[in-house]
């Protein structure tokens, strides 16, 4: 079979013009039109064939055959009609794919034995579709592109359409779109395909619109890259954001622009948006590299690190996970940073820098689970001895139990716990040896390291600081208000240890220095 259906149709029309009573010509023309995807014209030929058969004796069987074909075409039309509606209006590509493949099975029942895969939504992976319309094949490929199942779509276009007709303009335009989405060929190659498509069909709207769109996007991306090269982070972010707003194509190019915007946001110290961009990019790249059967009710599983390492986009995955890991580390989301570094280590197991980064993140995660004595005192990790002492005195006065006596019991309990925590922090950070051990990541328990405090924040080696705090406490210094008028009950004495003032009335708060 030469499969030249356009010439077949032309010959049938010429023969019918010479002898309109030949019913077989109508059937032959209808079959050619079905293959060309024009069902309405096919039905019109079959109805004309029925009329021709009824006017000729001995051709009733052909009339019945034509009627059967009309009925079959009505079912076929009903099955294929949702394809255009779904793809053009609602973008429901899965419904459209189901419709066109149902039509294909009706047109050629030999494809009724369906084959499925967990990696694609198509039911016709191993079907022989040679006898079906190229128009339907391209519609099927368009649905697969809409579902981002680009590998299967590429097979349909190359093996089932262009291999039979290299001048198919729609096929060339769709192949250009697939290559652009995969970013697997140069932009020049994509443009050449679109140029060829327009040469074979100057009215090809898909090719013309797509060419115009990618040229406009390329200009924006280039401006972003130039700003990036000049270290103009804000300008680069603005251009990359404009690209992402105007891009309606998607694909790996979009992933790369998201990656670029994540880099400039990271350099500007904006780590939360950096993480968001990396996450969006990774999810899109996973969809592109690891398509799944969207008609299945099975829950989608994320690809393993081994899957990512063996994918064609492993280097891009690595770049995104490294960027997200670094930003999460700076955001102190240490567990998420460790997860990303683990993925990176599996993609490049021999990379020492990644191994070292993973160890640093693990150490930071472990450290974060300890009490952060710097945070407790409200000082930076670079604070010197004087700043640590000043912060301690201020907070010890603020949370001293005697200043919380009028609070409700629950609040007083919380304040007591805070007071003990403050003294734990100071007992470590005021001791150079313990501070060095804490800074190196060692576990230091301030409550046991405070040396005989037994819950008293002024015990152990804090004698001089304790005396200063007591004086401030008695005189109302440090902005704490003090108790110049005496303690509750009008008493000035301090039971136990040393006594200050006159009298030893009951009800006063005792400080033990022993």
């Amino acid at each position: 079979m030469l499969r030249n259906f356009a010439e077949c149709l032309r010959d049938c029309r010429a023969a019918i013009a010479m002898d309109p009573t030949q019913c077989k010509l109508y059937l032959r023309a209808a079959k050619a039109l079905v293959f060309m995807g024009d069902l309405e014209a096919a039905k019109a030929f079959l109805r004309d064939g029925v009329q021709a058969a009824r006017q000729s004796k001995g051709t009733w069987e052909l009339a019945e055959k034509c009627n059967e074909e009309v009925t079959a075409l009505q079912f076929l039309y009903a099955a294929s009609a949702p394809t255009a509606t779904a793809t053009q209006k609602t973008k429901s590509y899965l419904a459209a794919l189901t419709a066109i493949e149902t039509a294909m099975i009706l047109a050629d029942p030999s494809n009724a034995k369906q084959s499925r895969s967990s990696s694609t939504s198509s039911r016709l992976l191993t079907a022989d579709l040679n006898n079906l319309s190229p128009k339907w094949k391209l519609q099927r490929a368009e649905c697969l592109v809409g579902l981002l199942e680009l590998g299967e779509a590429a097979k349909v276009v190359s093996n089932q359409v262009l291999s039979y007709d290299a001048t198919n303009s729609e096929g060339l335009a769709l192949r250009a779109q697939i290559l652009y989405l995969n970013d697997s060929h140069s932009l020049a190659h994509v443009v050449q395909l679109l140029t060829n498509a327009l040469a074979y069909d100057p009215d090809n709207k898909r090719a013309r619109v797509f060419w115009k769109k990618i040229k406009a996007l390329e200009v924006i991306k280039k401006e972003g890259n130039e700003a990036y090269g000049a270290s103009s982070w804000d300008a680069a972010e603005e251009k990359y954001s404009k690209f992402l707003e105007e891009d309606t194509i998607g694909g790996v190019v979009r992933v790369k622009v998201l990656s670029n915007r994540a880099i400039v946001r990271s350099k500007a110290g904006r780590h939360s948006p950096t993480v968001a961009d990396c996450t969006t990019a990774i999810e899109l790249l996973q969809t592109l590299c690891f398509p799944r059967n969207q008609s299945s009710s099975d829950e989608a599983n994320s690809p393993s690190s081994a899957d990512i390492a063996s994918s064609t986009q492993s280097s891009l995955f690595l770049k995104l996970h490294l960027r997200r890991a670094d930003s999460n580390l700076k955001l102190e989301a240490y567990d998420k940073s460790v997860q990303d570094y683990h993925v990176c280590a599996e993609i490049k197991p021999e990379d020492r820098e990644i191994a070292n980064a993973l160890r640093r993140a693990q150490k930071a995660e472990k450290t974060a689970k300890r009490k952060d004595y710097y945070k407790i005192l409200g000082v930076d990790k670079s604070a010197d001895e004087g700043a640590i002492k000043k912060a301690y005195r201020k907070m010890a006065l603020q949370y001293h139990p005697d200043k919380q006596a009028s609070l409700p019991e629950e609040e007083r309990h919380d304040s007591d716990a805070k007071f003990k925590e403050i003294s734990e922090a100071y007992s470590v950070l005021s001791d150079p040896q313990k501070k060095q051990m804490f800074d190196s990541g060692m576990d230091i328990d301030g409550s046991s390291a405070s040396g005989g405090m037994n819950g008293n924040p002024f015990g152990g080696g804090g004698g001089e600081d304790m005396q200063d705090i007591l004086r401030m406490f008695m005189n109302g210094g440090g902005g704490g208000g003090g108790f110049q008028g005496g303690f509750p009950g009008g008493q000035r004495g301090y039971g136990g240890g040393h006594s200050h003032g006159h009298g030893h009335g009951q009800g006063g708060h005792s400080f033990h220095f022993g």
Side-chain angles (χ1 to χ4, degrees):
M1 182 185 294
L2 296 178
R3 304 174 62 83
N4 197 332
F5 295 98
E7 288 189 13
C8 173
L9 178 62
R10 187 165 56 249
D11 289 346
C12 287
R13 281 176 169 157
I16 290 170
M18 290 187 288
D19 184 0
T21 63
Q22 295 296 318
C23 298
K24 289 183 179 181
L25 293 173
Y26 295 96
L27 281 168
R28 195 166 297 145
K31 287 184 181 296
L33 284 165
V34 167
F35 185 86
M36 295 166 68
D38 193 344
L39 300 185
E40 286 292 344
K43 282 197 293 184
F45 264 99
L46 288 172
R47 285 171 179 150
D48 289 344
V50 170
Q51 294 301 321
R54 286 176 177 171
Q55 293 172 10
S56 303
K57 294 182 179 180
T59 57
W60 287 103
E61 289 183 4
L62 285 175
E64 188 61 28
K65 177 65 175 175
C66 286
N67 278 325
E68 288 175 3
E69 293 290 342
V70 169
T71 303
L73 275 177
Q74 287 173 337
F75 279 110
L76 195 56
Y77 185 80
S80 64
T83 304
T85 303
T87 55
Q88 293 175 11
K89 294 184 179 180
T90 66
K91 300 297 182 184
S92 179
Y93 291 108
L94 182 59
L97 180 66
T98 301
I100 196 64
E101 290 192 345
T102 299
M104 286 177 163
I105 292 168
L106 285 171
D108 186 353
S110 66
N111 294 317
K113 187 177 180 181
Q114 302 166 10
S115 57
R116 292 182 178 273
S117 168
S118 60
S119 62
T120 179
S121 306
S122 175
R123 296 173 287 168
L124 303 177
L125 297 185
T126 59
D128 181 5
L129 306 178
N130 288 338
N131 293 326
L132 296 177
S133 164
K135 178 181 176 181
W136 288 0
K137 294 174 188 176
L138 287 171
Q139 285 180 336
R140 177 171 173 248
E142 184 179 352
C143 294
L144 290 166
V145 169
L147 294 168
L148 293 181
E149 297 178 16
L150 303 181
E152 192 62 31
K155 292 177 185 176
V156 173
V157 175
S158 297
N159 301 340
Q160 298 177 11
V161 178
L162 294 178
S163 62
Y164 293 102
D165 180 8
T167 66
N168 187 302
S169 179
E170 289 294 337
L172 290 168
L174 191 53
R175 176 164 169 75
Q177 183 180 352
I178 294 168
L179 295 184
Y180 181 83
L181 285 167
N182 274 325
D183 198 28
S184 56
H185 290 68
S186 68
L187 186 63
H189 184 77
V190 172
V191 169
Q192 186 59 56
L193 285 171
L194 294 172
T195 303
N196 293 344
L198 289 168
Y200 293 126
D201 180 8
D203 296 326
N204 189 325
K205 184 178 179 181
R206 177 202 294 275
R208 194 172 298 283
V209 170
F210 188 68
W211 190 357
K212 183 178 178 180
K213 188 69 175 178
I214 62 175
K215 283 173 67 177
L217 290 172
E218 191 64 20
V219 170
I220 300 170
K221 186 176 71 170
K222 184 179 179 182
E223 291 173 347
N225 291 343
E226 289 173 351
Y228 177 89
S231 300
S232 301
W233 311 132
D234 290 342
E237 180 179 353
E238 181 183 352
K239 291 299 181 181
Y240 291 143
S241 296
K242 184 179 180 182
F243 179 100
L244 295 167
E245 287 171 6
E246 297 190 10
D247 172 42
T248 57
I249 303 170
V252 175
V253 175
R254 184 176 184 85
V255 172
K256 289 182 177 179
V257 173
L258 280 165
S259 176
N260 290 349
R261 189 172 72 171
I263 293 172
V264 299
R265 285 178 164 179
S266 174
K267 288 183 179 293
R270 302 178 60 218
H271 295 293
S272 291
T274 298
V275 169
D277 275 352
C278 289
T279 300
T280 302
I282 288 169
E283 290 174 352
L284 176 55
L285 194 57
Q286 286 179 347
T287 301
L288 291 166
C289 294
F290 307 103
R292 70 179 189 88
N293 186 346
Q294 296 187 39
S295 64
S296 171
S297 59
D298 295 339
E299 204 169 304
N301 296 318
S302 297
S304 67
S305 299
D307 293 332
I308 292 173
S310 61
S311 77
T312 57
Q313 297 292 344
S314 59
S315 60
L316 185 52
F317 273 116
L318 179 65
K319 183 178 181 180
L320 290 165
H321 280 284
L322 283 173
R323 177 63 53 196
R324 189 170 69 176
D326 179 68
S327 287
N328 272 323
L329 192 65
K330 291 181 169 107
L331 291 168
E332 299 184 2
Y334 301 118
D335 56 335
K336 294 178 180 178
S337 179
V338 168
Q339 289 174 8
D340 275 323
Y341 277 128
H342 269 302
V343 173
C344 296
E346 292 194 39
I347 294 174
K348 288 190 78 174
E350 305 300 325
D351 193 303
R352 290 186 179 181
E353 289 187 12
I354 292 175
N356 290 335
L358 173 58
R359 281 193 290 271
R360 288 194 296 270
Q362 289 172 327
K363 180 180 177 181
E365 182 182 25
K366 180 181 178 182
T367 301
K369 293 178 180 177
R370 307 176 304 163
K371 287 184 178 179
D372 188 337
Y373 291 137
Y374 290 100
K375 277 189 176 181
I376 290 170
L377 292 183
V379 296
D380 191 76
K381 291 182 180 180
S382 60
D384 59 18
E385 182 181 354
I388 291 170
K389 182 181 291 186
K390 182 179 179 181
Y392 164 65
R393 288 176 176 177
K394 179 180 178 181
M395 297 190 76
L397 280 171
Q398 181 181 349
Y399 289 99
H400 191 279
D402 283 327
K403 295 194 70 174
Q404 318 301 324
S406 62
L407 293 175
E409 182 177 353
E410 183 176 346
E411 292 183 31
R412 192 165 62 248
H413 180 272
D414 292 342
S415 182
D416 286 345
K418 180 70 174 177
F419 187 57
K420 291 179 181 179
E421 197 173 48
I422 292 165
S423 53
E424 286 181 24
Y426 186 68
S427 71
V428 171
L429 300 184
S430 62
D431 185 311
Q433 184 178 358
K434 294 170 186 172
K435 182 176 182 296
Q436 184 179 10
M437 294 168 65
F438 178 78
D439 289 344
S440 68
M442 295 179 64
D443 292 328
I444 301 294
D445 185 356
S447 60
S448 61
S450 55
M453 290 175 64
N454 295 324
N456 186 344
F458 306 116
E464 183 181 347
D465 296 323
M466 171 274 298
Q467 294 292 349
D468 291 341
I469 291 173
L470 279 179
R471 276 194 294 273
M472 294 168 68
F473 194 69
M474 292 288 291
N475 297 325
F483 289 88
Q484 297 180 38
F487 288 97
Q491 305 298 327
R492 292 179 177 272
Y494 297 85
H498 302 280
S499 299
H500 299 264
H502 302 282
H504 299 279
Q506 298 178 355
H509 189 86
S510 299
F511 293 88
H512 301 281
F513 309 123

